[in-house]
Amino acid sequence: MKLSVAVAVVVLALAVLVESAPQDATLTERFNNFQTKVETLTQDLTEKTKAAVEELHNSEFSVNARNWFKDTFESLKKQMDEAFANIRPQ
């Protein structure tokens, strides 16, 4: 999935570059402009992704699921300790 997103970003950036670049710009200027646009786009995408992951991590569903797993594991651990408390290694 990461590769497909990266390819889509590059294609989108190239399309924007081709449409918005002035006709008399040199190749070096076009690459510099392209680099700036890609850096801006990737920075924005990174910030949005981090925000979405953090929001998901702190969501009510996520917190409830973590708490349920923790409680279930502790309960299972307690039951196993009680069940095997009388068994001693020989």
Side-chain angles (χ1 to χ4, degrees), residues 27-61:
L27 187 59
T28 305
E29 290 172 347
R30 293 175 85 184
F31 276 119
N32 288 337
N33 188 20
F34 174 73
Q35 179 182 0
T36 304
K37 287 182 180 182
V38 169
E39 287 174 354
T40 304
L41 184 64
T42 56
Q43 183 66 27
D44 186 45
L45 186 61
T46 301
E47 290 172 4
K48 287 181 180 180
T49 303
K50 284 182 181 180
V53 169
E54 187 174 326
E55 183 179 333
L56 177 65
H57 179 73
N58 295 330
S59 70
E60 182 181 355
F61 172 77

PDB file of all heavy atoms in Angstrom, residues 27-61:
ATOM      1  N   LEU A  27      15.308  23.462 -17.073  1.00  0.00           N
ATOM      2  CA  LEU A  27      15.119  22.146 -16.485  1.00  0.00           C
ATOM      3  C   LEU A  27      15.492  22.160 -15.003  1.00  0.00           C
ATOM      4  O   LEU A  27      14.798  21.560 -14.177  1.00  0.00           O
ATOM      5  CB  LEU A  27      15.968  21.116 -17.249  1.00  0.00           C
ATOM      6  CG  LEU A  27      15.771  19.654 -16.866  1.00  0.00           C
ATOM      7  CD1 LEU A  27      14.318  19.239 -17.065  1.00  0.00           C
ATOM      8  CD2 LEU A  27      16.677  18.763 -17.673  1.00  0.00           C
ATOM      9  N   THR A  28      16.548  22.854 -14.648  1.00  0.00           N
ATOM     10  CA  THR A  28      16.967  22.943 -13.251  1.00  0.00           C
ATOM     11  C   THR A  28      15.906  23.632 -12.411  1.00  0.00           C
ATOM     12  O   THR A  28      15.591  23.168 -11.302  1.00  0.00           O
ATOM     13  CB  THR A  28      18.293  23.731 -13.146  1.00  0.00           C
ATOM     14  OG1 THR A  28      19.257  23.111 -13.982  1.00  0.00           O
ATOM     15  CG2 THR A  28      18.792  23.760 -11.729  1.00  0.00           C
ATOM     16  N   GLU A  29      15.339  24.701 -12.909  1.00  0.00           N
ATOM     17  CA  GLU A  29      14.285  25.400 -12.176  1.00  0.00           C
ATOM     18  C   GLU A  29      13.057  24.514 -11.997  1.00  0.00           C
ATOM     19  O   GLU A  29      12.426  24.519 -10.945  1.00  0.00           O
ATOM     20  CB  GLU A  29      13.901  26.684 -12.910  1.00  0.00           C
ATOM     21  CG  GLU A  29      14.961  27.749 -12.877  1.00  0.00           C
ATOM     22  CD  GLU A  29      14.622  28.919 -13.780  1.00  0.00           C
ATOM     23  OE1 GLU A  29      13.696  28.806 -14.626  1.00  0.00           O
ATOM     24  OE2 GLU A  29      15.282  29.965 -13.644  1.00  0.00           O
ATOM     25  N   ARG A  30      12.733  23.768 -13.019  1.00  0.00           N
ATOM     26  CA  ARG A  30      11.577  22.878 -12.940  1.00  0.00           C
ATOM     27  C   ARG A  30      11.794  21.787 -11.901  1.00  0.00           C
ATOM     28  O   ARG A  30      10.883  21.463 -11.141  1.00  0.00           O
ATOM     29  CB  ARG A  30      11.286  22.275 -14.310  1.00  0.00           C
ATOM     30  CG  ARG A  30      10.817  23.333 -15.311  1.00  0.00           C
ATOM     31  CD  ARG A  30      10.643  22.762 -16.672  1.00  0.00           C
ATOM     32  NE  ARG A  30       9.307  22.170 -16.769  1.00  0.00           N
ATOM     33  CZ  ARG A  30       8.874  21.517 -17.829  1.00  0.00           C
ATOM     34  NH1 ARG A  30       9.652  21.371 -18.874  1.00  0.00           N
ATOM     35  NH2 ARG A  30       7.657  21.031 -17.852  1.00  0.00           N
ATOM     36  N   PHE A  31      13.010  21.223 -11.863  1.00  0.00           N
ATOM     37  CA  PHE A  31      13.292  20.197 -10.865  1.00  0.00           C
ATOM     38  C   PHE A  31      13.292  20.777  -9.459  1.00  0.00           C
ATOM     39  O   PHE A  31      12.817  20.146  -8.515  1.00  0.00           O
ATOM     40  CB  PHE A  31      14.618  19.488 -11.147  1.00  0.00           C
ATOM     41  CG  PHE A  31      14.490  18.368 -12.133  1.00  0.00           C
ATOM     42  CD1 PHE A  31      15.183  18.406 -13.325  1.00  0.00           C
ATOM     43  CD2 PHE A  31      13.686  17.278 -11.868  1.00  0.00           C
ATOM     44  CE1 PHE A  31      15.063  17.378 -14.251  1.00  0.00           C
ATOM     45  CE2 PHE A  31      13.556  16.250 -12.777  1.00  0.00           C
ATOM     46  CZ  PHE A  31      14.248  16.295 -13.983  1.00  0.00           C
ATOM     47  N   ASN A  32      13.823  21.978  -9.291  1.00  0.00           N
ATOM     48  CA  ASN A  32      13.798  22.626  -7.980  1.00  0.00           C
ATOM     49  C   ASN A  32      12.369  22.898  -7.533  1.00  0.00           C
ATOM     50  O   ASN A  32      12.017  22.694  -6.362  1.00  0.00           O
ATOM     51  CB  ASN A  32      14.609  23.917  -8.000  1.00  0.00           C
ATOM     52  CG  ASN A  32      16.100  23.657  -8.066  1.00  0.00           C
ATOM     53  OD1 ASN A  32      16.575  22.598  -7.696  1.00  0.00           O
ATOM     54  ND2 ASN A  32      16.846  24.651  -8.551  1.00  0.00           N
ATOM     55  N   ASN A  33      11.563  23.372  -8.460  1.00  0.00           N
ATOM     56  CA  ASN A  33      10.157  23.620  -8.161  1.00  0.00           C
ATOM     57  C   ASN A  33       9.452  22.313  -7.813  1.00  0.00           C
ATOM     58  O   ASN A  33       8.662  22.250  -6.863  1.00  0.00           O
ATOM     59  CB  ASN A  33       9.486  24.299  -9.362  1.00  0.00           C
ATOM     60  CG  ASN A  33       8.092  24.760  -9.050  1.00  0.00           C
ATOM     61  OD1 ASN A  33       7.726  24.930  -7.901  1.00  0.00           O
ATOM     62  ND2 ASN A  33       7.302  24.966 -10.089  1.00  0.00           N
ATOM     63  N   PHE A  34       9.732  21.279  -8.568  1.00  0.00           N
ATOM     64  CA  PHE A  34       9.148  19.961  -8.310  1.00  0.00           C
ATOM     65  C   PHE A  34       9.552  19.454  -6.935  1.00  0.00           C
ATOM     66  O   PHE A  34       8.721  18.956  -6.176  1.00  0.00           O
ATOM     67  CB  PHE A  34       9.589  18.974  -9.400  1.00  0.00           C
ATOM     68  CG  PHE A  34       9.154  17.564  -9.145  1.00  0.00           C
ATOM     69  CD1 PHE A  34       7.829  17.191  -9.299  1.00  0.00           C
ATOM     70  CD2 PHE A  34      10.070  16.605  -8.746  1.00  0.00           C
ATOM     71  CE1 PHE A  34       7.424  15.895  -9.068  1.00  0.00           C
ATOM     72  CE2 PHE A  34       9.677  15.303  -8.509  1.00  0.00           C
ATOM     73  CZ  PHE A  34       8.346  14.948  -8.672  1.00  0.00           C
ATOM     74  N   GLN A  35      10.828  19.602  -6.596  1.00  0.00           N
ATOM     75  CA  GLN A  35      11.325  19.151  -5.301  1.00  0.00           C
ATOM     76  C   GLN A  35      10.599  19.881  -4.165  1.00  0.00           C
ATOM     77  O   GLN A  35      10.194  19.261  -3.181  1.00  0.00           O
ATOM     78  CB  GLN A  35      12.830  19.381  -5.186  1.00  0.00           C
ATOM     79  CG  GLN A  35      13.408  18.954  -3.856  1.00  0.00           C
ATOM     80  CD  GLN A  35      14.901  19.233  -3.754  1.00  0.00           C
ATOM     81  OE1 GLN A  35      15.506  19.754  -4.675  1.00  0.00           O
ATOM     82  NE2 GLN A  35      15.470  18.874  -2.626  1.00  0.00           N
ATOM     83  N   THR A  36      10.432  21.165  -4.303  1.00  0.00           N
ATOM     84  CA  THR A  36       9.740  21.953  -3.277  1.00  0.00           C
ATOM     85  C   THR A  36       8.294  21.498  -3.115  1.00  0.00           C
ATOM     86  O   THR A  36       7.807  21.335  -1.990  1.00  0.00           O
ATOM     87  CB  THR A  36       9.782  23.446  -3.645  1.00  0.00           C
ATOM     88  OG1 THR A  36      11.136  23.843  -3.816  1.00  0.00           O
ATOM     89  CG2 THR A  36       9.136  24.296  -2.577  1.00  0.00           C
ATOM     90  N   LYS A  37       7.628  21.280  -4.232  1.00  0.00           N
ATOM     91  CA  LYS A  37       6.235  20.838  -4.169  1.00  0.00           C
ATOM     92  C   LYS A  37       6.105  19.456  -3.549  1.00  0.00           C
ATOM     93  O   LYS A  37       5.199  19.200  -2.751  1.00  0.00           O
ATOM     94  CB  LYS A  37       5.617  20.847  -5.565  1.00  0.00           C
ATOM     95  CG  LYS A  37       5.347  22.242  -6.075  1.00  0.00           C
ATOM     96  CD  LYS A  37       4.701  22.213  -7.431  1.00  0.00           C
ATOM     97  CE  LYS A  37       4.448  23.628  -7.923  1.00  0.00           C
ATOM     98  NZ  LYS A  37       3.768  23.637  -9.221  1.00  0.00           N
ATOM     99  N   VAL A  38       7.011  18.546  -3.887  1.00  0.00           N
ATOM    100  CA  VAL A  38       6.964  17.198  -3.327  1.00  0.00           C
ATOM    101  C   VAL A  38       7.254  17.240  -1.823  1.00  0.00           C
ATOM    102  O   VAL A  38       6.594  16.556  -1.033  1.00  0.00           O
ATOM    103  CB  VAL A  38       7.952  16.254  -4.054  1.00  0.00           C
ATOM    104  CG1 VAL A  38       8.094  14.943  -3.312  1.00  0.00           C
ATOM    105  CG2 VAL A  38       7.482  16.007  -5.471  1.00  0.00           C
ATOM    106  N   GLU A  39       8.227  18.046  -1.416  1.00  0.00           N
ATOM    107  CA  GLU A  39       8.526  18.167   0.013  1.00  0.00           C
ATOM    108  C   GLU A  39       7.321  18.700   0.779  1.00  0.00           C
ATOM    109  O   GLU A  39       6.985  18.203   1.852  1.00  0.00           O
ATOM    110  CB  GLU A  39       9.728  19.090   0.227  1.00  0.00           C
ATOM    111  CG  GLU A  39      11.052  18.471  -0.160  1.00  0.00           C
ATOM    112  CD  GLU A  39      12.213  19.450  -0.077  1.00  0.00           C
ATOM    113  OE1 GLU A  39      11.982  20.654   0.170  1.00  0.00           O
ATOM    114  OE2 GLU A  39      13.353  19.006  -0.272  1.00  0.00           O
ATOM    115  N   THR A  40       6.671  19.714   0.223  1.00  0.00           N
ATOM    116  CA  THR A  40       5.484  20.280   0.867  1.00  0.00           C
ATOM    117  C   THR A  40       4.372  19.243   0.952  1.00  0.00           C
ATOM    118  O   THR A  40       3.730  19.090   2.000  1.00  0.00           O
ATOM    119  CB  THR A  40       4.995  21.516   0.090  1.00  0.00           C
ATOM    120  OG1 THR A  40       6.062  22.447  -0.003  1.00  0.00           O
ATOM    121  CG2 THR A  40       3.811  22.153   0.765  1.00  0.00           C
ATOM    122  N   LEU A  41       4.155  18.541  -0.131  1.00  0.00           N
ATOM    123  CA  LEU A  41       3.102  17.529  -0.171  1.00  0.00           C
ATOM    124  C   LEU A  41       3.377  16.399   0.810  1.00  0.00           C
ATOM    125  O   LEU A  41       2.475  15.977   1.549  1.00  0.00           O
ATOM    126  CB  LEU A  41       2.969  16.976  -1.594  1.00  0.00           C
ATOM    127  CG  LEU A  41       1.858  15.968  -1.833  1.00  0.00           C
ATOM    128  CD1 LEU A  41       0.505  16.619  -1.625  1.00  0.00           C
ATOM    129  CD2 LEU A  41       1.958  15.430  -3.246  1.00  0.00           C
ATOM    130  N   THR A  42       4.600  15.909   0.843  1.00  0.00           N
ATOM    131  CA  THR A  42       4.913  14.807   1.756  1.00  0.00           C
ATOM    132  C   THR A  42       4.859  15.251   3.211  1.00  0.00           C
ATOM    133  O   THR A  42       4.428  14.482   4.073  1.00  0.00           O
ATOM    134  CB  THR A  42       6.296  14.202   1.452  1.00  0.00           C
ATOM    135  OG1 THR A  42       7.285  15.229   1.496  1.00  0.00           O
ATOM    136  CG2 THR A  42       6.309  13.512   0.106  1.00  0.00           C
ATOM    137  N   GLN A  43       5.268  16.472   3.498  1.00  0.00           N
ATOM    138  CA  GLN A  43       5.190  16.987   4.871  1.00  0.00           C
ATOM    139  C   GLN A  43       3.735  17.072   5.318  1.00  0.00           C
ATOM    140  O   GLN A  43       3.395  16.670   6.428  1.00  0.00           O
ATOM    141  CB  GLN A  43       5.868  18.357   4.979  1.00  0.00           C
ATOM    142  CG  GLN A  43       5.888  18.921   6.374  1.00  0.00           C
ATOM    143  CD  GLN A  43       6.743  18.112   7.323  1.00  0.00           C
ATOM    144  OE1 GLN A  43       7.693  17.448   6.930  1.00  0.00           O
ATOM    145  NE2 GLN A  43       6.397  18.153   8.585  1.00  0.00           N
ATOM    146  N   ASP A  44       2.883  17.587   4.440  1.00  0.00           N
ATOM    147  CA  ASP A  44       1.458  17.696   4.747  1.00  0.00           C
ATOM    148  C   ASP A  44       0.845  16.311   4.946  1.00  0.00           C
ATOM    149  O   ASP A  44       0.078  16.087   5.885  1.00  0.00           O
ATOM    150  CB  ASP A  44       0.742  18.444   3.631  1.00  0.00           C
ATOM    151  CG  ASP A  44      -0.709  18.722   3.950  1.00  0.00           C
ATOM    152  OD1 ASP A  44      -0.988  19.162   5.086  1.00  0.00           O
ATOM    153  OD2 ASP A  44      -1.560  18.517   3.057  1.00  0.00           O
ATOM    154  N   LEU A  45       1.195  15.389   4.070  1.00  0.00           N
ATOM    155  CA  LEU A  45       0.686  14.025   4.169  1.00  0.00           C
ATOM    156  C   LEU A  45       1.160  13.361   5.459  1.00  0.00           C
ATOM    157  O   LEU A  45       0.391  12.671   6.133  1.00  0.00           O
ATOM    158  CB  LEU A  45       1.136  13.209   2.954  1.00  0.00           C
ATOM    159  CG  LEU A  45       0.586  11.796   2.824  1.00  0.00           C
ATOM    160  CD1 LEU A  45      -0.927  11.834   2.712  1.00  0.00           C
ATOM    161  CD2 LEU A  45       1.185  11.115   1.611  1.00  0.00           C
ATOM    162  N   THR A  46       2.410  13.595   5.839  1.00  0.00           N
ATOM    163  CA  THR A  46       2.949  13.032   7.075  1.00  0.00           C
ATOM    164  C   THR A  46       2.198  13.564   8.287  1.00  0.00           C
ATOM    165  O   THR A  46       1.823  12.799   9.185  1.00  0.00           O
ATOM    166  CB  THR A  46       4.446  13.362   7.200  1.00  0.00           C
ATOM    167  OG1 THR A  46       5.135  12.837   6.071  1.00  0.00           O
ATOM    168  CG2 THR A  46       5.044  12.788   8.462  1.00  0.00           C
ATOM    169  N   GLU A  47       1.974  14.861   8.322  1.00  0.00           N
ATOM    170  CA  GLU A  47       1.265  15.462   9.448  1.00  0.00           C
ATOM    171  C   GLU A  47      -0.164  14.937   9.554  1.00  0.00           C
ATOM    172  O   GLU A  47      -0.638  14.623  10.654  1.00  0.00           O
ATOM    173  CB  GLU A  47       1.253  16.985   9.307  1.00  0.00           C
ATOM    174  CG  GLU A  47       2.602  17.630   9.499  1.00  0.00           C
ATOM    175  CD  GLU A  47       2.615  19.108   9.163  1.00  0.00           C
ATOM    176  OE1 GLU A  47       1.533  19.668   8.844  1.00  0.00           O
ATOM    177  OE2 GLU A  47       3.700  19.704   9.225  1.00  0.00           O
ATOM    178  N   LYS A  48      -0.833  14.827   8.431  1.00  0.00           N
ATOM    179  CA  LYS A  48      -2.207  14.329   8.443  1.00  0.00           C
ATOM    180  C   LYS A  48      -2.259  12.869   8.870  1.00  0.00           C
ATOM    181  O   LYS A  48      -3.164  12.460   9.604  1.00  0.00           O
ATOM    182  CB  LYS A  48      -2.847  14.498   7.065  1.00  0.00           C
ATOM    183  CG  LYS A  48      -3.179  15.933   6.739  1.00  0.00           C
ATOM    184  CD  LYS A  48      -3.823  16.054   5.378  1.00  0.00           C
ATOM    185  CE  LYS A  48      -4.144  17.503   5.063  1.00  0.00           C
ATOM    186  NZ  LYS A  48      -4.773  17.655   3.741  1.00  0.00           N
ATOM    187  N   THR A  49      -1.295  12.067   8.416  1.00  0.00           N
ATOM    188  CA  THR A  49      -1.259  10.661   8.794  1.00  0.00           C
ATOM    189  C   THR A  49      -0.998  10.503  10.280  1.00  0.00           C
ATOM    190  O   THR A  49      -1.655   9.698  10.960  1.00  0.00           O
ATOM    191  CB  THR A  49      -0.181   9.919   7.981  1.00  0.00           C
ATOM    192  OG1 THR A  49      -0.441  10.093   6.593  1.00  0.00           O
ATOM    193  CG2 THR A  49      -0.165   8.444   8.317  1.00  0.00           C
ATOM    194  N   LYS A  50      -0.039  11.265  10.809  1.00  0.00           N
ATOM    195  CA  LYS A  50       0.243  11.206  12.247  1.00  0.00           C
ATOM    196  C   LYS A  50      -0.980  11.603  13.060  1.00  0.00           C
ATOM    197  O   LYS A  50      -1.294  10.972  14.072  1.00  0.00           O
ATOM    198  CB  LYS A  50       1.425  12.110  12.598  1.00  0.00           C
ATOM    199  CG  LYS A  50       2.760  11.548  12.214  1.00  0.00           C
ATOM    200  CD  LYS A  50       3.881  12.477  12.632  1.00  0.00           C
ATOM    201  CE  LYS A  50       5.243  11.943  12.226  1.00  0.00           C
ATOM    202  NZ  LYS A  50       6.330  12.850  12.627  1.00  0.00           N
ATOM    203  N   ALA A  51      -1.671  12.644  12.633  1.00  0.00           N
ATOM    204  CA  ALA A  51      -2.867  13.092  13.347  1.00  0.00           C
ATOM    205  C   ALA A  51      -3.957  12.025  13.312  1.00  0.00           C
ATOM    206  O   ALA A  51      -4.617  11.769  14.326  1.00  0.00           O
ATOM    207  CB  ALA A  51      -3.379  14.399  12.751  1.00  0.00           C
ATOM    208  N   ALA A  52      -4.124  11.383  12.164  1.00  0.00           N
ATOM    209  CA  ALA A  52      -5.155  10.342  12.044  1.00  0.00           C
ATOM    210  C   ALA A  52      -4.827   9.139  12.917  1.00  0.00           C
ATOM    211  O   ALA A  52      -5.713   8.582  13.577  1.00  0.00           O
ATOM    212  CB  ALA A  52      -5.297   9.907  10.590  1.00  0.00           C
ATOM    213  N   VAL A  53      -3.554   8.735  12.942  1.00  0.00           N
ATOM    214  CA  VAL A  53      -3.157   7.589  13.762  1.00  0.00           C
ATOM    215  C   VAL A  53      -3.325   7.918  15.243  1.00  0.00           C
ATOM    216  O   VAL A  53      -3.806   7.097  16.025  1.00  0.00           O
ATOM    217  CB  VAL A  53      -1.702   7.164  13.438  1.00  0.00           C
ATOM    218  CG1 VAL A  53      -1.181   6.170  14.451  1.00  0.00           C
ATOM    219  CG2 VAL A  53      -1.637   6.566  12.047  1.00  0.00           C
ATOM    220  N   GLU A  54      -2.949   9.127  15.633  1.00  0.00           N
ATOM    221  CA  GLU A  54      -3.093   9.530  17.030  1.00  0.00           C
ATOM    222  C   GLU A  54      -4.570   9.590  17.424  1.00  0.00           C
ATOM    223  O   GLU A  54      -4.946   9.159  18.518  1.00  0.00           O
ATOM    224  CB  GLU A  54      -2.436  10.886  17.255  1.00  0.00           C
ATOM    225  CG  GLU A  54      -2.405  11.299  18.711  1.00  0.00           C
ATOM    226  CD  GLU A  54      -1.619  12.571  18.923  1.00  0.00           C
ATOM    227  OE1 GLU A  54      -0.626  12.805  18.219  1.00  0.00           O
ATOM    228  OE2 GLU A  54      -2.029  13.343  19.814  1.00  0.00           O
ATOM    229  N   GLU A  55      -5.394  10.106  16.537  1.00  0.00           N
ATOM    230  CA  GLU A  55      -6.832  10.165  16.805  1.00  0.00           C
ATOM    231  C   GLU A  55      -7.419   8.767  16.944  1.00  0.00           C
ATOM    232  O   GLU A  55      -8.233   8.506  17.835  1.00  0.00           O
ATOM    233  CB  GLU A  55      -7.546  10.920  15.684  1.00  0.00           C
ATOM    234  CG  GLU A  55      -9.026  11.100  15.909  1.00  0.00           C
ATOM    235  CD  GLU A  55      -9.684  11.878  14.787  1.00  0.00           C
ATOM    236  OE1 GLU A  55      -9.012  12.682  14.125  1.00  0.00           O
ATOM    237  OE2 GLU A  55     -10.889  11.672  14.578  1.00  0.00           O
ATOM    238  N   LEU A  56      -6.996   7.859  16.087  1.00  0.00           N
ATOM    239  CA  LEU A  56      -7.460   6.478  16.173  1.00  0.00           C
ATOM    240  C   LEU A  56      -6.986   5.824  17.468  1.00  0.00           C
ATOM    241  O   LEU A  56      -7.744   5.119  18.133  1.00  0.00           O
ATOM    242  CB  LEU A  56      -6.954   5.670  14.975  1.00  0.00           C
ATOM    243  CG  LEU A  56      -7.306   4.184  14.959  1.00  0.00           C
ATOM    244  CD1 LEU A  56      -8.815   4.011  14.847  1.00  0.00           C
ATOM    245  CD2 LEU A  56      -6.613   3.487  13.811  1.00  0.00           C
ATOM    246  N   HIS A  57      -5.736   6.074  17.835  1.00  0.00           N
ATOM    247  CA  HIS A  57      -5.173   5.497  19.055  1.00  0.00           C
ATOM    248  C   HIS A  57      -5.934   5.974  20.291  1.00  0.00           C
ATOM    249  O   HIS A  57      -6.125   5.213  21.234  1.00  0.00           O
ATOM    250  CB  HIS A  57      -3.692   5.852  19.171  1.00  0.00           C
ATOM    251  CG  HIS A  57      -3.030   5.318  20.398  1.00  0.00           C
ATOM    252  ND1 HIS A  57      -2.726   3.986  20.556  1.00  0.00           N
ATOM    253  CD2 HIS A  57      -2.629   5.923  21.539  1.00  0.00           C
ATOM    254  CE1 HIS A  57      -2.158   3.797  21.726  1.00  0.00           C
ATOM    255  NE2 HIS A  57      -2.098   4.967  22.351  1.00  0.00           N
ATOM    256  N   ASN A  58      -6.363   7.216  20.288  1.00  0.00           N
ATOM    257  CA  ASN A  58      -7.040   7.788  21.448  1.00  0.00           C
ATOM    258  C   ASN A  58      -8.557   7.723  21.366  1.00  0.00           C
ATOM    259  O   ASN A  58      -9.236   8.261  22.243  1.00  0.00           O
ATOM    260  CB  ASN A  58      -6.602   9.244  21.629  1.00  0.00           C
ATOM    261  CG  ASN A  58      -5.137   9.353  21.963  1.00  0.00           C
ATOM    262  OD1 ASN A  58      -4.557   8.474  22.575  1.00  0.00           O
ATOM    263  ND2 ASN A  58      -4.525  10.446  21.539  1.00  0.00           N
ATOM    264  N   SER A  59      -9.076   7.071  20.342  1.00  0.00           N
ATOM    265  CA  SER A  59     -10.524   6.999  20.194  1.00  0.00           C
ATOM    266  C   SER A  59     -11.137   6.122  21.288  1.00  0.00           C
ATOM    267  O   SER A  59     -10.471   5.291  21.905  1.00  0.00           O
ATOM    268  CB  SER A  59     -10.896   6.432  18.825  1.00  0.00           C
ATOM    269  OG  SER A  59     -10.580   5.060  18.755  1.00  0.00           O
ATOM    270  N   GLU A  60     -12.410   6.337  21.527  1.00  0.00           N
ATOM    271  CA  GLU A  60     -13.110   5.584  22.566  1.00  0.00           C
ATOM    272  C   GLU A  60     -13.078   4.084  22.273  1.00  0.00           C
ATOM    273  O   GLU A  60     -12.841   3.274  23.169  1.00  0.00           O
ATOM    274  CB  GLU A  60     -14.560   6.076  22.659  1.00  0.00           C
ATOM    275  CG  GLU A  60     -15.363   5.386  23.737  1.00  0.00           C
ATOM    276  CD  GLU A  60     -16.804   5.874  23.790  1.00  0.00           C
ATOM    277  OE1 GLU A  60     -17.153   6.813  23.056  1.00  0.00           O
ATOM    278  OE2 GLU A  60     -17.571   5.284  24.565  1.00  0.00           O
ATOM    279  N   PHE A  61     -13.278   3.713  21.022  1.00  0.00           N
ATOM    280  CA  PHE A  61     -13.255   2.303  20.646  1.00  0.00           C
ATOM    281  C   PHE A  61     -11.899   1.676  20.948  1.00  0.00           C
ATOM    282  O   PHE A  61     -11.808   0.584  21.501  1.00  0.00           O
ATOM    283  CB  PHE A  61     -13.577   2.145  19.156  1.00  0.00           C
ATOM    284  CG  PHE A  61     -13.383   0.741  18.656  1.00  0.00           C
ATOM    285  CD1 PHE A  61     -14.310  -0.238  18.938  1.00  0.00           C
ATOM    286  CD2 PHE A  61     -12.255   0.405  17.920  1.00  0.00           C
ATOM    287  CE1 PHE A  61     -14.124  -1.533  18.487  1.00  0.00           C
ATOM    288  CE2 PHE A  61     -12.059  -0.887  17.468  1.00  0.00           C
ATOM    289  CZ  PHE A  61     -13.001  -1.863  17.748  1.00  0.00           C
TER     290      PHE A  61
END
